[in-house]
Amino acid sequence: MDWMPLLSTLTGAVIGIAATLLADRNRWQREEARHALEVRREVYTEFVSALKAAGEEIRAVALGDHLSESARDAAVREAVRGTGIYTASERLWLVGPPQVVAAGNEAFHCLRTLRDAYARGAAVGSAEAAALIAQRRAAMAQMRHLMRADLGIGPLGIE
């Protein structure tokens, strides 16, 4: 019996199966990377949107009339809670790379500092509020820059 045709067939089958498995593995890795990128994009969008909404909400509360300091404090804190920022922050902590999480955390803390100033009675447009807003804007610009880099998107150059 001649073994060469059988060995050639088996060798060809092994090579074909190995090539198929390798191609499937590579395709799976590409799909996983694409999915991870899309998840990060969604989380980044949710977090940045919640930060912006929280900033607008606390500004609106700070512009309003309040009967007491405690009522203003409660209203400002409730305005932030209602934006979903805490959930968005946790999602960022779960899926973001360390540099993006650190930048997001810095922007979040800048928002909280501004929230606390408004809760204490700082006026919208005051020197104190303006300095805190400038810090918040710088932190958000840095955060967006890192998010865009992580997503493979170039810098805007307008911030």
Side-chain angles (χ1 to χ4, degrees), residues 58 62 69 72 110-137:
I58 63 174
E69 200 172 298
R72 179 185 180 113
C110 287
L111 175 76
R112 283 180 41 184
T113 302
L114 182 60
R115 175 205 67 191
D116 293 346
Y118 284 151
R120 283 191 315 273
V124 174
S126 68
E128 178 186 10
L132 294 174
I133 289 169
Q135 285 177 330
R136 180 173 168 257
R137 284 183 179 153

Side-chain angles (χ1 to χ4, degrees), residues 55-93:
E56 290 300 316
E57 290 293 324
I58 63 174
R59 184 177 188 282
V61 170
L63 285 170
D65 293 328
H66 302 282
L67 299 176
S68 68
E69 200 172 298
S70 63
R72 179 185 180 113
D73 180 67
V76 168
R77 290 180 189 285
E78 182 55 37
V80 171
R81 272 192 297 273
T83 62
I85 187 66
Y86 295 108
T87 302
S89 176
E90 288 302 317
R91 289 188 74 202
L92 179 66
W93 277 76

Side-chain angles (χ1 to χ4, degrees), residues 13-72:
V14 168
I15 291 171
I17 290 170
T20 300
L21 290 174
L22 184 61
D24 284 348
R25 182 175 177 269
N26 288 340
R27 186 175 20 259
W28 176 80
Q29 286 178 329
R30 281 192 309 274
E31 288 172 9
E32 283 296 307
R34 191 176 10 256
H35 178 69
L37 183 70
E38 186 57 36
V39 167
R40 286 195 317 277
R41 183 185 333 257
E42 289 172 17
V43 168
Y44 294 171
T45 301
E46 177 187 8
F47 185 69
V48 171
S49 298
L51 275 174
K52 294 288 279 184
E56 290 300 316
E57 290 293 324
I58 63 174
R59 184 177 188 282
V61 170
L63 285 170
D65 293 328
H66 302 282
L67 299 176
S68 68
E69 200 172 298
S70 63
R72 179 185 180 113

